[in-house]
Amino acid sequence: MYDVIVIGAGPAGSTAAKTLATKGYKVLLVEKFKMPRYKSCSGQLIKKTMDLVQTYFGEAVPASTMCAPTENRGMIFTDDKGKSFRFEQDGLNVWRSSFDKWLADKAAQSGAEVRDHTAALSCVEENGIVTVTLKGEQAYTEQARYVIDCEGVVGTLKKKLLNRDLQYITTYQTFNQGSIDLDYRFFHAYLQPELSEYDAWFNVKDNQLVLGVSVKNSSNAEYYYSRFIAYMKEKHNLRIDKQLKVDKWLMPHIRPGCAIDYGVGRVLFAGEIAGFLNPMGEGISAGMESGYHAVNAIMQHFDDLDLVYADYKANTDAMHNYMKRQWSFVAGMADTFKEMGL
Ligand SMILES: Cc1cc2nc3c(=O)[nH]c(=O)nc-3n(C[C@H](O)[C@H](O)[C@H](O)COP(=O)(O)OP(=O)(O)OC[C@H]3O[C@@H](n4cnc5c(N)ncnc54)[C@H](O)[C@@H]3O)c2cc1C
């Protein structure tokens, strides 16, 4: 019997597992893929994420997880009228596979039992105990007093638990050899409606030019991507010598009010699956912070589920309000996001 089973070794899950294990709780962290696993991501760690890593993991982000240019200087937005705004801030550029593996290793070093290549198939609660069906080589069950579901965007378990469909944004990005006349140290975001149905972006990882668009209707991805490439060629002298990789993924579609699903019974949600995601897909800080607050609420009120939820909500209130303000700010920059205005 575990105190807590954590599902998913992303930033939310590893932060939850590490925090519990450090305090002596018996915790199992399961990850469906073999670590290090691939996660589509621009890998931009904002200053807040760097600080959270230091606070929750007691160390700075290690150089071994970074890619060039290692330093991220902030974001340059182009609004829907084509006007650019520069927001400077310290940040880092990491490969998510290495960064997330490092976080999971830190959880293991603190005493969490980590099982990769192990998918959680279902959670059933009875008499204050959650039975989780897991599948590695074969299916088996484990039990815990609580589960923290940090499964990320697709939400197979969440859909089963809430019996409802989830809505997504599709991301489509390519990694390329080539050149462009933009400053590699910034993340560049484009909000013009003719370039994407949501946002488009450019950043650099180990000399690979990454160009992407996100769309509400996945069948439109390649159409908008080709428009974005044409725009970058015309405006920024983009030259693509060789396309190295195409990468299609999903993000939660955040709605007006930024609703959060905190959990169902003894299964708490944290990270992206709970609905924590800032504009331009900045979700690592929100994942870590919500994973931390979910387990702190459990540790504070282990035997009182109502207080666990009350505490979890209260302690994520500030980040939820920050998230709403950020979305509202973007609503002021582009009509595409108008509905997100406060
Ligand atoms: C194209 C793109 C670019 C992005 N760029 C940035 C960026 O630059 N900076 C930033 O901060 N955020 C970025 N994000 C968002 C960020 O990646 C996510 O918000 C963040 O990873 C959420 O963390 P998480 O721990 O909730 O989920 P995840 O990181 O997705 O982790 C969930 C884990 O759960 C595992 N899992 C899923 N189902 C199961 C199961 N049934 N059993 C066991 N394991 C399971 C998954 O394999 C995964 O490892 C980007 C997202 C996309 C799509």
Side-chain angles (χ1 to χ4, degrees), residues 191-218:
L191 304 180
Q192 298 101 308
E194 63 275 19
L195 302 183
S196 79
E197 289 177 332
Y198 211 63
D199 61 347
W201 61 89
F202 164 74
N203 64 301
V204 172
K205 302 194 87 65
D206 279 349
N207 290 324
Q208 298 173 28
L209 310 186
V210 187
L211 294 133
V213 296
S214 48
V215 289
K216 293 174 183 165
N217 180 344
S218 66

Side-chain angles (χ1 to χ4, degrees), residues 131-161:
T131 301
V132 183
T133 301
L134 298 171
K135 190 165 187 315
E137 293 305 321
Q138 49 200 345
Y140 59 101
T141 59
E142 295 284 8
Q143 294 190 314
R145 295 290 307 283
Y146 286 94
V147 166
I148 313 277
D149 179 6
C150 305
E151 63 184 312
V153 62
V154 179
T156 316
L157 290 167
K158 178 178 168 180
K159 280 191 265 194
K160 280 188 195 165
L161 286 163

Side-chain angles (χ1 to χ4, degrees), residues 7-13 30-33 35 37 39-45 49 96 100 118-121 150-153 156-157 171 173 187 201 247 249-251 270-273 276-277 280-285 287:
I7 298 170
V30 295
E31 164 55 47
K32 75 174 166 186
F33 293 113
M35 298 291 281
R37 61 91 175 91
K39 162 78 179 81
S40 176
C41 188
S42 307
Q44 309 293 299
L45 303 188
T49 310
R96 280 297 298 278
D100 288 20
T118 300
L121 303 182
C150 305
E151 63 184 312
V153 62
T156 316
L157 290 167
T171 59
Q173 59 179 3
F187 184 85
W201 61 89
D247 178 29
W249 208 266
L250 295 171
M251 266 200 253
E272 237 179 35
I273 198 56
F276 290 110
L277 184 68
M280 305 307 114
E282 192 280 305
I284 301 175
S285 65

